[in-house]
């Protein structure tokens, strides 16, 4: 069993009172692919290194399986780590690079051979076993680094931005290979990245972090569709979710409207009920809507507004229009690639208000759905 339980984990450096990791609390299931994601400096690597035993724990407990590992040296934790900067031994062959850790452990020669060949087969680097690292591409070298981890047959793999040094195309390919690898090895993976696309494509569950604090732990779908706050909503998804600042008002008939100085949008009943419950009538509120839930008039009923076209980004199949709607930031709308308009043209657009999220304007916490 390689479930991992992280209980109220804290990290403070030196005499600094600041929590670099702040009450990190999480149970990771056996064989789960878990991803820590967040901006640079949010404490992802520090948390991972405390799980690995490479960093002292200031407060809290880490269990691997049933065992408390706080005081266990890294080599006794049945884990393997893969880093962004994997240093291969330049004078050793690929075979020897992969075998190195096992030789240090004085494993019998035939066992080492079996383990190296099995790892090479899984990673599809068998033809290169006799080459030196400099005779390999970046992706092949990264696979050798993975091979060194795999031969140890650990229960837990800890990976810290292992694909960051690869070019974009190779990163996409290696992403898929890591998913396959995870399935075939049947081990628990904790994977650290600042790249929300890596998190979305690979994770069973995502842990979104900011300033050492967990913001949300959820499946990729849930993190995207029901982000816990404006930080998660804007960190996950590309292009970013749109935020529109406005005020909740009640119409004479009892319906709620989201009002800005330029337009008013009818709020669906289930969201309206929750906004009422939170006493938000007459209050400022932040509406969040993703670019794919806005479109040219006719797509959805109600909720028409006018935007002034400024620029667009062609993404191949889609085009993202940037429209001025009288807010600090333009509203980004996803349309078909062939859609054309003139600069400063007035466009009538609609929002699918059933997909709109409402956030507290002060705290950023999600209030609806
Ligand atoms: P991430 O991996 O999310 O980019 P880190 O875990 O590396 O972030 O760092 C989290 C915070 O801890 C950062 O603010 C960083 O400056 C600080 N930090 C990391 N290592 C040390 C150290 N040895 N001494 C003091 N502060 C550190
Ligand atoms: Mg890091």
């Amino acid at each position: 069993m390689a479930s991992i339980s992280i209980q109220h984990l804290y990290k403070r450096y030196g005499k600094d009172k600041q929590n670099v990791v702040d009450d990190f609390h999480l149970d990771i299931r056996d064989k789960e692919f878990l991803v820590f994601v967040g901006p640079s400096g949010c404490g992802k690597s520090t948390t991972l290194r405390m799980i690995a035993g490479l960093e002292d724990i200031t407060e809290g407990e880490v269990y691997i399986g049933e065992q408390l590992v706080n005081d266990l040296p890294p080599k006794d934790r049945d884990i393997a780590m893969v880093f962004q900067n994997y240093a291969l031994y330049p004078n050793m062959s690929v075979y020897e690079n992969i075998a190195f850790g096992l030789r240090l452990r004085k494993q019998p020669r035939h066992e080492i051979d079996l383990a190296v060949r099995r790892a090479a087969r899984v990673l599809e680097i068998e033809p290169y076993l006799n080459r030196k690292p400099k005779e390999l591409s970046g992706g092949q070298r990264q696979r050798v680094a993975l091979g060194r981890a795999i031969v140890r047959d650990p229960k837990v793999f800890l990976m810290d931005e292992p694909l960051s040094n690869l070019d974009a195309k190779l990163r996409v390919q290696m992403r898929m290979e890591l998913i396959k690898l995870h399935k075939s090895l049947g081990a628990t993976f904790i994977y650290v990245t600042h790249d929300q696309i890596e998190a979305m494509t690979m994770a069973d569950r995502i842990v979104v972090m900011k300033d050492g604090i967990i913001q949300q732990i959820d499946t990729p779908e849930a993190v995207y569709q029901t982000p816990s706050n404006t930080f998660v909503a804007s960190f996950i998804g590309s292009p970013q979710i749109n935020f529109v600042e406005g005020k909740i008002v009640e119409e004479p008939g009892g319906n709620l409207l989201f009002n800005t100085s330029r337009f008013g949008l009818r709020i669906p009943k289930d969201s309206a009920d929750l906004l009422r419950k939170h006493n938000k009538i007459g209050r400022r509120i932040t509406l969040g809507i993703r670019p794919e839930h806005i479109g040219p008039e006719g797509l959805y009923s109600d909720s028409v507004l006018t935007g002034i076209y400024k620029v667009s980004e062609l993404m191949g199949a889609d085009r993202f229009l940037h429209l001025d709607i009288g807010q600090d930031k333009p509203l980004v709308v996803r349309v078909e690639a062939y859609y054309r308009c003139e600069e400063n043209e007035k466009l009538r657009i609609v929002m699918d208000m059933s997909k709109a999220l409402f956030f507290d304007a002060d705290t950023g916490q999600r209030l609806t759905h």
Side-chain angles (χ1 to χ4, degrees):
M1 271 288 285
S3 57
I4 300 169
S5 180
I6 304 168
Q7 303 198 351
H8 302 292
L9 201 63
Y10 288 81
K11 180 69 185 182
R12 291 180 286 275
Y13 281 105
K15 294 194 167 47
D16 204 346
K17 288 282 175 291
Q18 191 153 356
N19 292 323
V20 162
V21 175
D22 191 339
D23 200 17
F24 193 104
H25 194 80
L26 169 68
D27 286 315
I28 302 166
R29 295 187 280 266
D30 185 35
K31 299 187 178 52
E32 188 165 14
F33 197 134
L34 192 92
V35 175
F36 296 169
V37 73
S40 178
C42 72
K44 306 179 294 293
S45 295
T46 305
T47 306
L48 198 72
R49 291 169 60 81
M50 286 194 282
I51 299 168
L54 301 171
E55 199 78 68
D56 284 339
I57 291 170
T58 308
E59 237 182 273
E61 279 107 43
V62 175
Y63 291 85
I64 298 178
E66 301 296 309
Q67 190 181 17
L68 179 66
V69 299
N70 281 40
D71 298 318
L72 210 60
K75 67 176 175 52
D76 298 331
R77 292 190 185 196
D78 205 1
I79 51 163
M81 264 194 95
V82 183
F83 298 96
Q84 174 180 352
N85 296 309
Y86 47 88
L88 301 180
Y89 300 103
N91 298 322
M92 288 185 193
S93 66
V94 167
Y95 185 104
E96 285 307 320
N97 264 287
I98 297 175
F100 188 74
L102 303 182
R103 293 220 198 284
L104 280 185
R105 280 156 202 260
K106 306 236 182 313
Q107 286 203 8
R109 181 175 284 270
H110 70 279
E111 273 183 26
I112 295 179
D113 191 60
L114 273 178
V116 172
R117 291 190 186 280
R118 185 159 35 100
R121 197 160 50 244
V122 171
L123 295 165
E124 295 174 16
I125 49 173
E126 284 169 299
Y128 318 122
L129 282 172
N130 294 320
R131 290 198 195 171
K132 297 278 168 59
K134 70 169 188 299
E135 296 163 328
L136 301 176
S137 70
Q140 289 162 344
R141 267 181 249 161
Q142 183 56 283
R143 273 179 241 196
V144 177
L146 283 168
R148 289 196 301 200
I150 291 173
V151 286
R152 298 191 31 212
D153 196 21
K155 288 209 226 69
V156 180
F157 283 84
L158 304 178
M159 304 194 176
D160 196 348
E161 313 235 12
L163 307 186
S164 294
N165 286 350
L166 304 181
D167 65 46
K169 191 161 164 238
L170 206 50
R171 244 187 350 249
V172 174
Q173 188 188 334
M174 285 299 289
R175 243 161 41 201
M176 291 305 126
E177 298 198 0
L178 281 175
I179 296 171
K180 282 194 271 172
L181 189 65
H182 171 251
K183 284 202 166 73
S184 69
L185 293 176
T188 307
F189 276 36
I190 307 180
Y191 186 99
V192 162
T193 181
H194 64 274
D195 179 353
Q196 58 95 19
I197 295 178
E198 280 185 14
M200 289 293 283
T201 49
M202 297 201 285
D204 292 323
R205 280 192 304 164
I206 297 176
V207 180
V208 186
M209 295 175 68
K210 178 182 176 246
D211 300 335
I213 299 171
I214 295 179
Q215 305 292 307
Q216 188 164 2
I217 307 169
D218 247 320
T219 61
E221 292 83 357
V223 164
Y224 188 79
Q225 288 164 13
T226 50
S228 60
N229 56 39
T230 49
F231 172 79
V232 176
S234 61
F235 193 80
I236 303 286
S238 175
Q240 280 189 13
I241 194 168
N242 293 289
F243 291 126
V244 185
E245 304 300 329
K247 201 170 156 185
I248 303 296
V249 297
E250 187 165 21
E251 287 185 305
N255 287 318
L256 295 194
L257 283 183
F258 173 81
N259 265 2
T260 77
S261 56
R262 293 253 192 111
F263 53 86
L265 301 170
R266 175 81 56 83
I267 299 172
K269 187 174 179 311
D270 49 345
S271 293
D273 289 346
L274 285 163
L275 290 168
R276 247 182 246 284
K277 205 180 92 191
H278 287 289
N279 285 321
K280 290 299 175 188
I281 296 173
R283 302 285 182 82
R284 289 188 311 118
I285 206 99
T286 304
L287 178 151
I289 184 110
R290 298 216 178 259
E292 63 268 30
H293 298 134
I294 315 172
E297 190 176 10
L299 208 54
Y300 316 111
S301 58
D302 274 348
S303 63
V304 181
L305 62 134
T306 301
I308 301 168
Y309 171 79
K310 292 297 176 188
V311 290
S312 78
E313 300 168 272
L314 178 63
M315 306 302 282
D318 306 312
R319 183 184 290 279
F320 298 120
L321 309 180
H322 291 232
L323 308 179
D324 175 5
I325 57 163
Q327 298 265 322
D328 291 347
K329 282 190 181 168
L331 188 78
V332 179
V333 182
R334 192 174 89 183
V335 294
E336 302 273 0
Y338 60 76
Y339 201 91
R340 288 280 189 290
C341 29
E342 302 287 325
E343 197 181 336
N344 292 325
E345 188 178 331
K346 282 189 178 162
L347 294 181
R348 284 174 61 80
I349 51 170
V350 283
M351 285 186 188
D352 181 357
M353 289 299 283
S354 71
K355 298 286 183 353
L357 303 168
F358 292 91
F359 300 91
D360 188 299
D362 299 315
T363 66
Q365 292 302 308
R366 193 187 76 243
L367 302 168
T368 59
H369 286 289

